[in-house]
Amino acid sequence: MKEEEQLQLIEKDALSKVNEAKNQNDLNDLRSFYTGKKSPLSDILKMMANLAIEQKKIIGKKANEVKTRIEESINARRKELEEAAINYRLQNERIDVSLPGKTFKVGTMHPLTRTIEEVEEIFMGMGYSIADGPEVEIDKFNFEMLNVPKGHPARDMQDSFYITENYLMRTQTSPVQVRTLLKKKGEPVKILAPGKVYRRDDDDATHSHQFMQFEGLVVDKNITMSDLKGTLELFVKKMFGSSLKIRFKPSYFPFTEPSVEVDVSCFKCGGSGCPICKHSGWIELLGAGMVHPNVLREAGYDPEVYQGFAFGIGIERATMMRHGIDDIRNFYLNDQRFLNQFKGEN
């Protein structure tokens, strides 16, 4: 029978070439050639349409047997090649177990991240919750609802990165306070808002166009300046040492009234005077004040019923004070010699 002879020749030729295959690619090509849709086996199966029923049964069975034997041969040869490759590697890729192992460098928490976590822990211990907001902010939240309307001279204090006329990179985390007040809709608020802020400052040892700060906000009934001072005294003692003192100096911020600059007694000389505190005994630390009635009113709070205080401090400044760092740019240079100094504090 012509078809049976063809099947025998196909099987013989396939098995011979499988045994001669040198690699996995050869086997893949042979599988495709002898068992694929355009293989000689497929051609024979297509010709079966012209055969009698009995012949179809015989040829069909034979074709399946041939295909099975070819595939089994390919699988067996594949296994032989895999074992040969493994044996070759075992013979030629010996490992010298006496060599020292690779050393993996262990990182450390960035000093600014550590400061943020410590500050958050202190204020969460006083009942504050942590709030967050977008870094690309709208002018309304960054300025207008903070009692700084368009054209107000106080805007000159914060030269900004504007994206469009109404969108800018936030110059402070105060917009988080505004968003929280609007969300709370007249309820008491007690939050801490840490994050990155952006201002068009010339970079030098004490200024950066991008820096980090945290701001606190408390709004409730019967809140007074003494609550603000007690909160900041506790924070300073927890953060910088129990022997330090704070003092308030009158200042101006458009979103607080009255406003104060907060100084801390010099941690180096204890207040007696040294080069670090410019022989004054005090170091300027942060700004604070009672929330301006206009800000409360804009957010939907009745200033005759609710009062509040707010404060803000640069995280870099706090970290520089704690560790005696004299250049803010060190935080952003990724110099491992600088960062490795803080490994022991994790």
Side-chain angles (χ1 to χ4, degrees), residues 53-259:
I53 295 177
E54 291 299 324
Q55 288 179 316
K56 287 181 179 179
K57 292 180 180 180
I58 295 172
I59 298 304
K61 180 180 179 183
K62 182 70 174 178
N64 287 331
E65 291 174 349
V66 169
K67 182 178 181 181
T68 299
R69 285 193 288 270
I70 292 174
E71 290 180 340
E72 289 176 347
S73 175
I74 291 174
N75 292 334
R77 182 58 178 163
R78 189 184 302 278
K79 187 175 181 181
E80 289 178 4
L81 292 175
E82 289 174 351
E83 291 178 351
I86 292 173
N87 291 330
Y88 176 83
R89 292 182 64 186
L90 290 174
Q91 292 296 322
N92 295 278
E93 297 182 11
R94 298 183 181 277
I95 300 173
D96 186 350
V97 295
S98 65
L99 290 173
K102 293 182 178 179
T103 301
F104 295 93
K105 295 181 178 180
V106 179
T108 181
M109 187 182 295
H110 196 278
L112 296 181
T113 303
R114 184 180 299 109
T115 298
I116 292 172
E117 290 192 353
E118 291 181 12
V119 170
E120 289 179 345
E121 184 176 350
I122 291 172
F123 280 98
M124 284 191 294
M126 290 190 277
Y128 286 68
S129 59
I130 308 302
D132 193 12
E135 293 179 18
V136 178
E137 192 52 273
I138 61 176
D139 187 274
K140 179 180 178 180
F141 289 163
N142 195 83
F143 287 124
E144 293 177 39
M145 291 193 66
L146 292 169
N147 203 34
V148 189
K150 293 184 184 298
H152 195 286
R155 292 200 180 205
D156 295 338
M157 298 165 59
Q158 298 180 9
D159 202 4
S160 313
F161 290 104
Y162 273 88
I163 299 172
T164 68
E165 184 177 351
N166 291 315
Y167 284 86
L168 71 157
M169 304 301 293
R170 67 183 183 187
T171 61
Q172 54 206 356
T173 56
S174 300
V176 179
Q177 300 180 21
V178 173
R179 289 176 176 273
T180 302
L181 289 171
L182 292 172
K183 185 177 180 180
K184 289 292 186 178
K185 298 180 179 179
E187 297 178 359
V189 171
K190 195 175 185 180
I191 62 165
L192 186 77
K196 294 178 184 176
V197 297
Y198 306 84
R199 298 180 189 176
R200 292 178 59 187
D201 283 333
D202 294 328
D203 290 3
D204 56 29
T206 57
H207 297 84
S208 174
H209 66 281
Q210 173 196 299
F211 58 99
M212 304 181 76
Q213 67 174 197
F214 66 84
E215 295 188 12
L217 172 70
V218 174
V219 174
D220 205 341
K221 297 176 181 179
N222 302 317
I223 298 297
T224 66
M225 183 73 84
S226 63
D227 296 312
L228 170 62
K229 187 172 184 180
T231 298
L232 295 180
E233 279 186 334
L234 180 58
F235 162 68
V236 166
K237 291 181 182 297
K238 290 273 189 180
M239 193 71 184
F240 301 103
S242 58
S243 63
L244 298 188
K245 300 177 181 179
I246 67 171
R247 73 175 183 182
F248 285 178
K249 297 186 301 184
S251 186
Y252 168 76
F253 303 109
F255 32 81
T256 53
E257 178 61 37
S259 303

Side-chain angles (χ1 to χ4, degrees), residues 2 13 19 30 46 63 127 133 167 173 175 190 198 210 233 249 257 294 305 320 325 338 341:
K2 182 180 177 181
D13 184 57
N19 288 331
L30 290 171
K46 292 176 183 177
Y167 284 86
T173 56
K190 195 175 185 180
Y198 306 84
Q210 173 196 299
E233 279 186 334
K249 297 186 301 184
E257 178 61 37
N294 289 346
V305 178
M320 292 169 74
I325 299 169
F338 171 76
Q341 299 177 75

